[in-house]
Amino acid sequence: MSGTYLAVKVPILGDGDRVVGVVSVGVDISVINETLNAMQNRVILSVIVIAMLLWVVAAESMSYILAGDSKSKKKADGEEQTFPAQLIRMLVFLVFSAYNLSSTFLPVYVLRNSELFHGELRNLAASLPLTVNIFALGIMSLFCAGLVRRAGMRRIMIWGAAFALCGNLLLLLIPHYFAIFLGLLLDGIGEGLIMNALYVILTYIRNEEDRRNGFSIYNAAYLSGVNFGMLGGSLLAVAFGQLTDL
C-alpha cells in the first residue's frame, strides 16, 4: 500500500478488561480531507441559506414597518385609508411561505412512501399526488370568485384553513401512500381557496390607486413567501433527514 495515513493506537482488551495487545488503526489522509471538505461545504451552504432567510425576513419586516408609517402619516394628515396594506401583505406572505415550506423535501417524502409500487410505476405513483395537489390548487381559481361573493371572505378563509390543516395532518400522522394522496388533495383545495380568495378580494377595491397598490403588494409578498418557504424547507429537509440520497 502507498499513501499518507493517519493512525491511532487502539488497545485490545482481554479478560478482566486487561490490555493484552495494541493495534494500529489508520485511514488515508485523503479520505479524512474529503470528509472534512464535505462537512465544510455543508456548513457554508447552511450559513448562506440562513443569511438569505434572515434577509427575506428583514425585507418583509421593513416593508411592514414602512407600510405602518405611511398609514400613520396619512392618518395624521387627515386622509382616510381603507385599504389594509399591512394585513394583505402579511397574509399573502404567510400563506405562500406555508405552502412552499414543504415543497423542498415533499417529493422525496412521497417517493419514500411509495413502496407499494415498483420500477417505473413507482416514479409515476410518486409524482401523481404532487400533480393532483397542483391541479386542485389551480382548479379552485374557477370557483373561488363565486364562492367569495356567496359565502364571504371570512368563511372562505376558514374553509381553506380547515382543508389545508386536515391535509397536512394526514401527511404528518399517516405516512402511507393513499393517506399522502388524500392529504395533498385536501391541501391543494385549501391552499387554492386561500390564495385565490386573497387575489379576488383585491379586485373589489374601488379606488384604482389602492387596487394597483394591492396587486403590487400581493406580487411582492408572494415572491417573498415563496423564497422564504423554499429556504426554510431546505433547512427542514436537513433537520429531518429528507435528503435525495435514495
Coordinates of all heavy atoms in Angstrom, one line a residue, residues 126-223:
A126 N -45.3 8.3 -7.4 CA -44.7 9.3 -6.6 C -45.1 10.7 -7.1 O -45.3 11.6 -6.3 CB -43.2 9.2 -6.4
S127 N -45.1 10.9 -8.4 CA -45.4 12.2 -9.0 C -46.9 12.5 -9.0 O -47.3 13.7 -9.1 CB -44.9 12.3 -10.4 OG -45.5 11.3 -11.3
L128 N -47.8 11.5 -8.9 CA -49.2 11.7 -9.0 C -49.8 12.5 -7.9 O -50.6 13.4 -8.2 CB -49.9 10.3 -9.1 CG -51.4 10.3 -9.5 CD1 -51.6 11.0 -10.8 CD2 -52.0 8.9 -9.5
P129 N -49.5 12.3 -6.6 CA -50.0 13.1 -5.6 C -49.6 14.6 -5.7 O -50.5 15.5 -5.5 CB -49.5 12.5 -4.3 CG -49.1 11.1 -4.6 CD -48.7 11.2 -6.0
L130 N -48.4 14.9 -6.1 CA -48.0 16.3 -6.3 C -48.7 16.9 -7.5 O -49.1 18.1 -7.4 CB -46.5 16.3 -6.6 CG -45.6 15.7 -5.4 CD1 -44.1 15.6 -5.9 CD2 -45.7 16.5 -4.2
T131 N -48.9 16.1 -8.5 CA -49.7 16.6 -9.7 C -51.1 17.0 -9.3 O -51.7 18.0 -9.7 CB -49.7 15.6 -10.8 OG1 -48.3 15.3 -11.2 CG2 -50.4 16.2 -12.1
V132 N -51.7 16.1 -8.5 CA -53.1 16.3 -8.0 C -53.2 17.6 -7.1 O -54.1 18.4 -7.2 CB -53.6 15.1 -7.3 CG1 -54.9 15.4 -6.6 CG2 -53.8 13.9 -8.3
N133 N -52.1 17.8 -6.3 CA -52.1 18.9 -5.4 C -52.0 20.2 -6.2 O -52.8 21.2 -6.0 CB -50.8 18.8 -4.6 CG -50.6 20.0 -3.7 OD1 -49.9 20.9 -4.0 ND2 -51.3 20.0 -2.5
I134 N -51.2 20.3 -7.3 CA -51.1 21.5 -8.1 C -52.4 21.7 -8.9 O -52.9 22.8 -9.1 CB -49.9 21.4 -9.0 CG1 -48.6 21.3 -8.2 CG2 -49.9 22.6 -10.0 CD1 -47.4 21.1 -9.0
F135 N -53.0 20.5 -9.4 CA -54.2 20.6 -10.2 C -55.4 21.2 -9.3 O -56.1 22.0 -9.7 CB -54.6 19.2 -10.7 CG -55.9 19.2 -11.4 CD1 -56.0 19.6 -12.7 CD2 -57.1 18.7 -10.8 CE1 -57.2 19.6 -13.4 CE2 -58.3 18.7 -11.5 CZ -58.4 19.1 -12.8
A136 N -55.5 20.7 -8.0 CA -56.5 21.2 -7.1 C -56.3 22.7 -6.8 O -57.2 23.4 -6.7 CB -56.5 20.4 -5.8
L137 N -55.0 23.1 -6.7 CA -54.7 24.5 -6.4 C -55.2 25.3 -7.6 O -55.7 26.4 -7.3 CB -53.2 24.6 -6.3 CG -52.6 25.9 -5.8 CD1 -53.0 26.2 -4.3 CD2 -51.1 26.0 -6.0
G138 N -55.0 24.9 -8.8 CA -55.4 25.7 -9.9 C -56.9 25.7 -10.2 O -57.5 26.7 -10.6
I139 N -57.5 24.5 -10.0 CA -58.9 24.4 -10.3 C -59.8 25.2 -9.4 O -60.9 25.6 -9.7 CB -59.4 22.9 -10.2 CG1 -60.6 22.7 -11.1 CG2 -59.6 22.5 -8.8 CD1 -60.4 22.8 -12.5
M140 N -59.3 25.6 -8.2 CA -60.0 26.4 -7.3 C -60.2 27.8 -7.8 O -61.1 28.5 -7.4 CB -59.3 26.5 -5.9 CG -59.4 25.2 -5.1 SD -61.1 24.8 -4.6 CE -61.5 23.5 -5.8
S141 N -59.3 28.2 -8.7 CA -59.5 29.6 -9.3 C -60.8 29.7 -10.1 O -61.3 30.8 -10.4 CB -58.3 29.9 -10.2 OG -58.2 29.0 -11.3
L142 N -61.3 28.6 -10.6 CA -62.6 28.6 -11.4 C -63.8 28.9 -10.5 O -64.8 29.4 -11.0 CB -62.7 27.3 -12.2 CG -61.6 26.9 -13.1 CD1 -61.9 25.6 -13.8 CD2 -61.5 28.0 -14.2
F143 N -63.7 28.5 -9.3 CA -64.9 28.6 -8.4 C -64.7 29.6 -7.3 O -65.7 30.0 -6.7 CB -65.2 27.2 -7.7 CG -65.2 26.1 -8.7 CD1 -64.1 25.2 -8.7 CD2 -66.2 25.9 -9.5 CE1 -64.1 24.1 -9.6 CE2 -66.2 24.8 -10.4 CZ -65.2 23.9 -10.4
C144 N -63.5 30.1 -7.1 CA -63.3 30.9 -5.9 C -64.0 32.3 -5.9 O -64.5 32.7 -4.9 CB -61.8 31.2 -5.7 SG -61.3 31.7 -4.1
A145 N -64.1 32.9 -7.1 CA -64.7 34.2 -7.2 C -66.2 34.1 -6.8 O -66.7 34.9 -6.1 CB -64.6 34.8 -8.6
G146 N -66.9 33.1 -7.3 CA -68.3 32.9 -7.0 C -68.5 32.5 -5.5 O -69.4 33.0 -4.9
L147 N -67.5 31.7 -5.0 CA -67.6 31.4 -3.6 C -67.4 32.6 -2.7 O -68.1 32.7 -1.6 CB -66.6 30.3 -3.2 CG -66.9 28.9 -3.8 CD1 -65.7 28.0 -3.5 CD2 -68.1 28.3 -3.3
V148 N -66.5 33.5 -3.0 CA -66.3 34.7 -2.3 C -67.5 35.6 -2.3 O -67.9 36.1 -1.2 CB -65.1 35.4 -2.8 CG1 -65.0 36.8 -2.1 CG2 -63.8 34.7 -2.5
R149 N -68.2 35.7 -3.4 CA -69.4 36.5 -3.5 C -70.5 35.9 -2.6 O -71.3 36.6 -2.0 CB -69.9 36.6 -5.0 CG -69.0 37.6 -5.8 CD -69.7 38.0 -7.1 NE -70.0 36.8 -7.9 CZ -69.2 36.3 -8.8 NH1 -68.0 37.0 -9.1 NH2 -69.5 35.2 -9.5
R150 N -70.7 34.6 -2.7 CA -71.8 34.0 -2.0 C -71.5 33.8 -0.5 O -72.4 34.0 0.4 CB -72.1 32.6 -2.6 CG -72.8 32.8 -4.0 CD -73.4 31.4 -4.4 NE -72.3 30.4 -4.6 CZ -71.7 30.2 -5.8 NH1 -72.1 31.0 -6.9 NH2 -70.8 29.3 -6.0
A151 N -70.3 33.3 -0.1 CA -70.0 33.0 1.3 C -69.3 34.0 2.0 O -69.3 34.0 3.3 CB -69.2 31.6 1.3
G152 N -68.6 34.9 1.3 CA -67.8 35.9 2.0 C -66.4 35.5 2.3 O -66.1 34.3 2.3
M153 N -65.5 36.5 2.4 CA -64.1 36.2 2.6 C -63.8 35.5 3.8 O -62.9 34.5 3.8 CB -63.3 37.6 2.6 CG -61.8 37.5 2.6 SD -61.2 36.7 1.2 CE -59.4 36.7 1.5
R154 N -64.4 35.8 4.9 CA -64.1 35.1 6.2 C -64.4 33.6 6.2 O -63.6 32.8 6.6 CB -64.9 35.8 7.3 CG -64.7 35.2 8.7 CD -65.5 35.9 9.8 NE -65.1 37.3 9.9 CZ -65.7 38.1 10.7 NH1 -66.7 37.7 11.5 NH2 -65.3 39.4 10.7
R155 N -65.5 33.2 5.6 CA -65.8 31.8 5.5 C -64.9 31.1 4.6 O -64.5 29.9 4.9 CB -67.3 31.6 5.1 CG -68.3 32.0 6.1 CD -69.7 31.7 5.6 NE -70.7 32.1 6.5 CZ -72.1 32.0 6.3 NH1 -72.5 31.5 5.2 NH2 -72.9 32.4 7.3
I156 N -64.5 31.7 3.5 CA -63.6 31.1 2.6 C -62.3 30.8 3.2 O -61.6 29.8 3.1 CB -63.4 31.9 1.3 CG1 -64.7 32.0 0.5 CG2 -62.3 31.4 0.4 CD1 -65.3 30.7 0.0
M157 N -61.8 31.8 4.0 CA -60.5 31.6 4.7 C -60.6 30.5 5.7 O -59.6 29.7 5.9 CB -60.1 33.0 5.3 CG -59.8 34.1 4.4 SD -58.4 33.8 3.4 CE -57.1 34.1 4.6
I158 N -61.7 30.4 6.4 CA -61.9 29.4 7.4 C -61.9 28.0 6.7 O -61.3 27.0 7.2 CB -63.1 29.6 8.2 CG1 -63.0 30.9 9.1 CG2 -63.5 28.4 9.1 CD1 -64.2 31.3 9.9
W159 N -62.7 27.9 5.6 CA -62.8 26.6 4.9 C -61.4 26.2 4.4 O -61.0 25.1 4.5 CB -63.8 26.7 3.8 CG -65.2 26.9 4.2 CD1 -65.7 26.8 5.5 CD2 -66.3 27.4 3.4 NE1 -67.1 27.0 5.5 CE2 -67.5 27.4 4.3 CE3 -66.5 27.7 2.1 CZ2 -68.7 27.8 3.8 CZ3 -67.7 28.1 1.6 CH2 -68.8 28.1 2.5
G160 N -60.7 27.2 3.8 CA -59.4 26.9 3.2 C -58.4 26.4 4.3 O -57.7 25.5 4.1
A161 N -58.4 27.1 5.4 CA -57.5 26.7 6.5 C -57.9 25.3 7.0 O -57.0 24.5 7.4 CB -57.6 27.8 7.6
A162 N -59.2 25.0 7.1 CA -59.6 23.7 7.6 C -59.1 22.6 6.6 O -58.6 21.6 7.1 CB -61.1 23.7 7.8
F163 N -59.4 22.8 5.3 CA -58.9 21.8 4.3 C -57.4 21.6 4.4 O -56.9 20.5 4.4 CB -59.3 22.2 2.9 CG -60.7 21.8 2.5 CD1 -61.7 22.8 2.5 CD2 -61.0 20.5 2.2 CE1 -63.0 22.4 2.1 CE2 -62.3 20.1 1.9 CZ -63.3 21.1 1.8
A164 N -56.6 22.7 4.4 CA -55.2 22.6 4.5 C -54.7 22.0 5.7 O -53.8 21.2 5.7 CB -54.6 24.0 4.3
L165 N -55.3 22.3 6.9 CA -54.9 21.7 8.1 C -55.2 20.2 8.1 O -54.3 19.4 8.5 CB -55.7 22.3 9.3 CG -55.5 21.7 10.7 CD1 -54.0 21.9 11.1 CD2 -56.4 22.4 11.7
C166 N -56.4 19.7 7.6 CA -56.6 18.3 7.6 C -55.7 17.6 6.7 O -55.2 16.5 7.0 CB -58.1 18.1 7.1 SG -59.4 18.6 8.2
G167 N -55.3 18.2 5.5 CA -54.4 17.6 4.6 C -53.0 17.4 5.2 O -52.4 16.4 5.1
N168 N -52.5 18.5 5.9 CA -51.2 18.4 6.4 C -51.1 17.5 7.6 O -50.1 16.8 7.9 CB -50.7 19.8 6.8 CG -50.3 20.6 5.7 OD1 -49.2 20.5 5.1 ND2 -51.1 21.5 5.2
L169 N -52.2 17.3 8.4 CA -52.3 16.4 9.5 C -52.2 15.0 9.0 O -51.6 14.1 9.6 CB -53.5 16.6 10.3 CG -53.5 17.8 11.3 CD1 -54.9 17.9 12.0 CD2 -52.4 17.7 12.3
L170 N -52.8 14.7 7.8 CA -52.7 13.4 7.2 C -51.3 13.1 6.8 O -50.8 12.0 7.0 CB -53.7 13.3 6.0 CG -55.2 13.0 6.3 CD1 -56.0 13.1 5.0 CD2 -55.4 11.7 6.9
L171 N -50.6 14.1 6.2 CA -49.3 13.9 5.8 C -48.4 13.6 7.0 O -47.4 12.8 6.9 CB -48.7 15.1 5.1 CG -49.3 15.4 3.7 CD1 -48.8 16.8 3.2 CD2 -49.0 14.3 2.7
L172 N -48.7 14.2 8.1 CA -47.8 14.1 9.3 C -48.1 12.8 10.1 O -47.1 12.1 10.5 CB -48.0 15.3 10.2 CG -47.3 15.3 11.6 CD1 -45.8 15.4 11.3 CD2 -47.7 16.5 12.4
L173 N -49.3 12.5 10.2 CA -49.7 11.4 11.1 C -49.8 10.0 10.5 O -49.6 9.0 11.1 CB -51.1 11.7 11.8 CG -51.1 13.0 12.6 CD1 -52.5 13.2 13.2 CD2 -50.1 12.9 13.8
I174 N -50.1 10.0 9.2 CA -50.2 8.7 8.5 C -49.3 8.7 7.3 O -49.7 9.1 6.2 CB -51.7 8.5 8.0 CG1 -52.7 8.7 9.2 CG2 -51.9 7.1 7.5 CD1 -54.1 8.6 8.8
P175 N -48.1 8.2 7.4 CA -47.1 8.1 6.3 C -47.4 6.9 5.4 O -46.6 6.0 5.3 CB -45.8 8.0 7.0 CG -46.1 7.3 8.3 CD -47.4 7.8 8.7
H176 N -48.5 6.9 4.8 CA -48.9 5.9 3.8 C -49.3 6.6 2.5 O -49.8 7.7 2.5 CB -50.1 5.1 4.4 CG -50.5 3.9 3.6 ND1 -51.4 3.9 2.5 CD2 -50.1 2.6 3.7 CE1 -51.5 2.7 2.0 NE2 -50.7 1.9 2.7
Y177 N -49.1 5.8 1.4 CA -49.2 6.5 0.1 C -50.6 7.0 -0.1 O -50.8 8.2 -0.5 CB -48.9 5.4 -1.0 CG -49.1 6.0 -2.4 CD1 -48.1 6.8 -3.0 CD2 -50.3 5.8 -3.1 CE1 -48.3 7.4 -4.2 CE2 -50.5 6.3 -4.4 CZ -49.5 7.1 -4.9 OH -49.7 7.6 -6.2
F178 N -51.7 6.3 0.2 CA -53.0 6.8 -0.1 C -53.4 7.9 0.9 O -54.2 8.8 0.5 CB -54.0 5.6 0.0 CG -53.8 4.6 -1.1 CD1 -53.3 3.3 -0.8 CD2 -54.1 4.8 -2.4 CE1 -53.1 2.4 -1.8 CE2 -53.9 3.9 -3.4 CZ -53.4 2.7 -3.1
A179 N -52.9 7.9 2.1 CA -53.2 9.0 3.0 C -52.4 10.2 2.5 O -53.0 11.3 2.6 CB -52.7 8.6 4.4
I180 N -51.2 10.1 2.0 CA -50.5 11.2 1.4 C -51.2 11.8 0.2 O -51.3 13.0 0.1 CB -49.1 10.8 1.1 CG1 -48.3 10.4 2.3 CG2 -48.4 11.8 0.3 CD1 -46.9 9.8 2.1
F181 N -51.8 10.9 -0.6 CA -52.5 11.3 -1.8 C -53.7 12.2 -1.4 O -53.9 13.3 -1.9 CB -53.0 10.1 -2.6 CG -53.6 10.4 -3.9 CD1 -52.9 10.4 -5.1 CD2 -55.0 10.7 -4.0 CE1 -53.5 10.7 -6.3 CE2 -55.6 11.0 -5.1 CZ -54.9 11.0 -6.3
L182 N -54.5 11.6 -0.4 CA -55.7 12.4 0.1 C -55.2 13.7 0.7 O -55.9 14.7 0.6 CB -56.5 11.5 1.0 CG -57.7 12.1 1.6 CD1 -58.7 12.6 0.5 CD2 -58.4 11.2 2.6
G183 N -54.1 13.6 1.5 CA -53.7 14.8 2.2 C -53.3 15.9 1.3 O -53.6 17.1 1.5
L184 N -52.6 15.6 0.2 CA -52.1 16.6 -0.8 C -53.3 17.1 -1.6 O -53.3 18.3 -2.0 CB -51.1 16.0 -1.7 CG -49.7 15.8 -1.1 CD1 -48.8 15.1 -2.1 CD2 -49.1 17.1 -0.7
L185 N -54.3 16.3 -1.8 CA -55.6 16.8 -2.5 C -56.3 17.8 -1.6 O -56.7 18.9 -2.1 CB -56.5 15.6 -2.8 CG -57.9 15.9 -3.3 CD1 -57.7 16.6 -4.7 CD2 -58.7 14.7 -3.5
L186 N -56.4 17.5 -0.3 CA -57.1 18.4 0.6 C -56.3 19.7 0.8 O -56.8 20.8 0.8 CB -57.3 17.8 2.0 CG -58.3 16.6 2.0 CD1 -58.3 16.0 3.4 CD2 -59.7 17.0 1.6
D187 N -55.0 19.5 0.9 CA -54.1 20.7 1.0 C -54.2 21.6 -0.2 O -54.2 22.8 -0.1 CB -52.6 20.2 1.2 CG -51.7 21.4 1.3 OD1 -51.8 22.1 2.3 OD2 -50.9 21.6 0.4
G188 N -54.2 21.0 -1.4 CA -54.4 21.8 -2.7 C -55.7 22.5 -2.7 O -55.7 23.7 -3.1
I189 N -56.8 21.9 -2.2 CA -58.1 22.6 -2.2 C -58.0 23.8 -1.2 O -58.5 24.9 -1.5 CB -59.2 21.6 -1.8 CG1 -59.4 20.6 -2.9 CG2 -60.5 22.4 -1.6 CD1 -60.3 19.5 -2.5
G190 N -57.5 23.5 0.0 CA -57.4 24.6 1.0 C -56.5 25.7 0.6 O -56.9 26.9 0.7
E191 N -55.3 25.4 0.1 CA -54.4 26.5 -0.3 C -54.9 27.2 -1.5 O -54.8 28.4 -1.6 CB -53.0 25.9 -0.6 CG -52.3 25.3 0.6 CD -51.8 26.3 1.6 OE1 -51.9 27.5 1.3 OE2 -51.3 25.9 2.7
G192 N -55.6 26.5 -2.4 CA -56.2 27.1 -3.6 C -57.3 28.1 -3.2 O -57.4 29.2 -3.8
L193 N -58.1 27.7 -2.2 CA -59.2 28.7 -1.8 C -58.6 29.9 -1.2 O -59.0 31.0 -1.5 CB -60.0 28.0 -0.7 CG -61.0 26.9 -1.3 CD1 -61.7 26.2 -0.1 CD2 -62.1 27.6 -2.2
I194 N -57.6 29.8 -0.3 CA -57.0 30.9 0.3 C -56.2 31.8 -0.6 O -56.5 33.1 -0.7 CB -56.0 30.5 1.5 CG1 -56.8 29.7 2.5 CG2 -55.3 31.6 2.1 CD1 -55.9 29.1 3.6
M195 N -55.4 31.3 -1.5 CA -54.6 32.1 -2.4 C -55.5 32.8 -3.4 O -55.3 34.0 -3.6 CB -53.6 31.2 -3.2 CG -52.5 30.6 -2.3 SD -51.4 29.5 -3.3 CE -50.4 28.8 -2.1
N196 N -56.4 32.1 -4.0 CA -57.3 32.8 -5.0 C -58.3 33.8 -4.3 O -58.6 34.8 -4.9 CB -58.1 31.7 -5.7 CG -57.2 30.9 -6.7 OD1 -56.7 31.4 -7.7 ND2 -57.0 29.6 -6.4
A197 N -58.7 33.5 -3.1 CA -59.6 34.4 -2.4 C -58.9 35.7 -2.1 O -59.5 36.8 -2.2 CB -60.1 33.8 -1.1
L198 N -57.6 35.6 -1.7 CA -56.9 36.8 -1.4 C -56.7 37.7 -2.7 O -56.7 38.9 -2.6 CB -55.5 36.5 -0.9 CG -55.4 36.0 0.6 CD1 -54.1 35.4 0.9 CD2 -55.8 37.1 1.5
Y199 N -56.5 37.0 -3.8 CA -56.4 37.7 -5.1 C -57.7 38.3 -5.5 O -57.8 39.5 -6.0 CB -55.8 36.8 -6.2 CG -55.2 37.5 -7.3 CD1 -53.9 38.0 -7.3 CD2 -56.0 37.8 -8.5 CE1 -53.4 38.7 -8.4 CE2 -55.5 38.5 -9.6 CZ -54.2 38.9 -9.5 OH -53.6 39.6 -10.6
V200 N -58.8 37.6 -5.4 CA -60.1 38.0 -5.8 C -60.5 39.2 -5.0 O -61.1 40.2 -5.6 CB -61.1 36.9 -5.7 CG1 -62.5 37.4 -5.8 CG2 -60.9 35.8 -6.7
I201 N -60.2 39.2 -3.7 CA -60.7 40.3 -2.9 C -60.1 41.6 -3.3 O -60.7 42.7 -3.0 CB -60.4 40.0 -1.4 CG1 -61.4 40.8 -0.4 CG2 -59.0 40.3 -1.0 CD1 -62.8 40.4 -0.6
L202 N -58.9 41.6 -3.9 CA -58.2 42.8 -4.3 C -59.0 43.5 -5.5 O -59.0 44.7 -5.7 CB -56.8 42.6 -4.8 CG -55.8 42.1 -3.7 CD1 -54.5 41.8 -4.3 CD2 -55.7 43.1 -2.6
T203 N -59.7 42.7 -6.3 CA -60.5 43.2 -7.4 C -61.7 44.0 -6.9 O -62.3 44.7 -7.7 CB -60.9 42.1 -8.4 OG1 -61.8 41.2 -7.7 CG2 -59.7 41.3 -8.8
Y204 N -62.1 43.8 -5.7 CA -63.2 44.5 -5.1 C -62.9 45.9 -4.6 O -63.8 46.6 -4.2 CB -63.9 43.7 -4.0 CG -64.5 42.4 -4.4 CD1 -64.9 41.4 -3.5 CD2 -64.8 42.1 -5.8 CE1 -65.5 40.2 -3.9 CE2 -65.3 41.0 -6.2 CZ -65.7 40.0 -5.2 OH -66.3 38.8 -5.6
I205 N -61.6 46.3 -4.6 CA -61.2 47.6 -4.2 C -61.7 48.6 -5.2 O -61.3 48.5 -6.4 CB -59.7 47.7 -3.9 CG1 -59.3 46.6 -2.9 CG2 -59.3 49.1 -3.5 CD1 -57.8 46.5 -2.6
R206 N -62.4 49.6 -4.8 CA -63.0 50.6 -5.8 C -61.9 51.6 -6.2 O -61.9 52.0 -7.4 CB -64.2 51.3 -5.2 CG -65.3 50.3 -4.9 CD -66.5 51.1 -4.3 NE -67.7 50.2 -4.1 CZ -68.8 50.5 -3.6 NH1 -69.0 51.8 -3.3 NH2 -69.8 49.7 -3.4
N207 N -61.1 52.1 -5.3 CA -60.1 53.1 -5.6 C -59.0 52.5 -6.5 O -58.4 51.5 -6.1 CB -59.5 53.6 -4.3 CG -58.6 54.8 -4.6 OD1 -57.4 54.6 -5.0 ND2 -59.0 56.0 -4.3
E208 N -58.8 53.1 -7.6 CA -57.9 52.5 -8.6 C -56.5 52.5 -8.1 O -55.7 51.5 -8.3 CB -58.0 53.3 -9.9 CG -57.1 52.7 -11.0 CD -57.2 53.5 -12.3 OE1 -58.1 54.4 -12.4 OE2 -56.5 53.2 -13.3
E209 N -56.1 53.5 -7.4 CA -54.7 53.6 -6.8 C -54.5 52.5 -5.8 O -53.4 51.8 -5.8 CB -54.4 55.0 -6.3 CG -53.0 55.1 -5.7 CD -52.8 56.5 -5.1 OE1 -53.7 57.4 -5.2 OE2 -51.7 56.7 -4.6
D210 N -55.5 52.3 -4.9 CA -55.4 51.3 -3.9 C -55.4 49.9 -4.5 O -54.7 49.0 -4.0 CB -56.5 51.4 -2.9 CG -56.3 52.6 -1.9 OD1 -55.2 53.1 -1.8 OD2 -57.3 53.0 -1.3
R211 N -56.1 49.7 -5.6 CA -56.2 48.4 -6.3 C -54.8 48.1 -6.9 O -54.3 47.0 -6.8 CB -57.3 48.4 -7.3 CG -57.5 47.1 -8.0 CD -58.8 47.0 -8.7 NE -58.9 48.0 -9.8 CZ -59.7 49.0 -9.7 NH1 -60.5 49.2 -8.7 NH2 -59.8 49.9 -10.7
R212 N -54.2 49.1 -7.6 CA -52.9 48.8 -8.1 C -51.9 48.6 -7.0 O -51.0 47.7 -7.1 CB -52.4 50.1 -8.9 CG -53.1 50.2 -10.3 CD -52.3 51.1 -11.2 NE -52.1 52.4 -10.6 CZ -52.8 53.5 -10.7 NH1 -53.9 53.4 -11.5 NH2 -52.5 54.6 -10.1
N213 N -52.0 49.3 -5.9 CA -51.1 49.1 -4.8 C -51.3 47.7 -4.2 O -50.3 47.0 -3.8 CB -51.3 50.2 -3.7 CG -50.3 50.1 -2.6 OD1 -49.1 49.7 -2.8 ND2 -50.7 50.5 -1.4
G214 N -52.5 47.3 -4.2 CA -52.8 45.9 -3.6 C -52.2 44.8 -4.5 O -51.6 43.9 -3.9
F215 N -52.3 44.9 -5.8 CA -51.7 43.9 -6.7 C -50.2 43.9 -6.6 O -49.5 42.9 -6.6 CB -52.1 44.1 -8.1 CG -53.6 43.7 -8.4 CD1 -54.4 44.7 -8.9 CD2 -54.0 42.5 -8.1 CE1 -55.8 44.3 -9.2 CE2 -55.3 42.1 -8.3 CZ -56.2 43.0 -8.9
S216 N -49.6 45.1 -6.4 CA -48.1 45.2 -6.2 C -47.7 44.5 -4.9 O -46.7 43.8 -4.9 CB -47.7 46.7 -6.3 OG -48.0 47.3 -7.5
I217 N -48.5 44.8 -3.9 CA -48.2 44.2 -2.6 C -48.3 42.7 -2.7 O -47.5 41.9 -2.1 CB -49.1 44.8 -1.5 CG1 -48.6 46.2 -1.2 CG2 -49.0 44.0 -0.2 CD1 -49.6 46.9 -0.3
Y218 N -49.4 42.2 -3.3 CA -49.6 40.8 -3.5 C -48.4 40.1 -4.2 O -47.9 39.1 -3.7 CB -50.9 40.5 -4.3 CG -51.3 39.1 -4.4 CD1 -52.2 38.5 -3.5 CD2 -50.8 38.3 -5.4 CE1 -52.6 37.2 -3.6 CE2 -51.1 36.9 -5.5 CZ -52.0 36.4 -4.6 OH -52.4 35.1 -4.7
N219 N -48.0 40.7 -5.3 CA -46.9 40.1 -6.0 C -45.6 40.1 -5.2 O -44.8 39.1 -5.2 CB -46.7 40.8 -7.4 CG -47.8 40.6 -8.3 OD1 -48.5 39.6 -8.3 ND2 -48.1 41.6 -9.1
A220 N -45.3 41.2 -4.5 CA -44.1 41.2 -3.7 C -44.1 40.3 -2.6 O -43.1 39.5 -2.3 CB -43.9 42.7 -3.2
A221 N -45.2 40.2 -1.9 CA -45.4 39.3 -0.8 C -45.4 37.8 -1.2 O -44.8 36.9 -0.5 CB -46.6 39.6 0.0
Y222 N -45.9 37.6 -2.4 CA -45.9 36.2 -3.0 C -44.5 35.7 -3.2 O -44.1 34.6 -2.9 CB -46.8 36.2 -4.3 CG -46.3 35.3 -5.3 CD1 -46.5 33.9 -5.2 CD2 -45.7 35.8 -6.5 CE1 -46.0 33.0 -6.2 CE2 -45.3 34.9 -7.5 CZ -45.5 33.6 -7.3 OH -45.0 32.7 -8.3
L223 N -43.7 36.6 -3.9 CA -42.3 36.2 -4.2 C -41.5 36.0 -2.9 O -40.7 35.1 -2.7 CB -41.6 37.2 -5.0 CG -42.2 37.3 -6.5 CD1 -41.6 38.5 -7.2 CD2 -42.0 36.1 -7.2

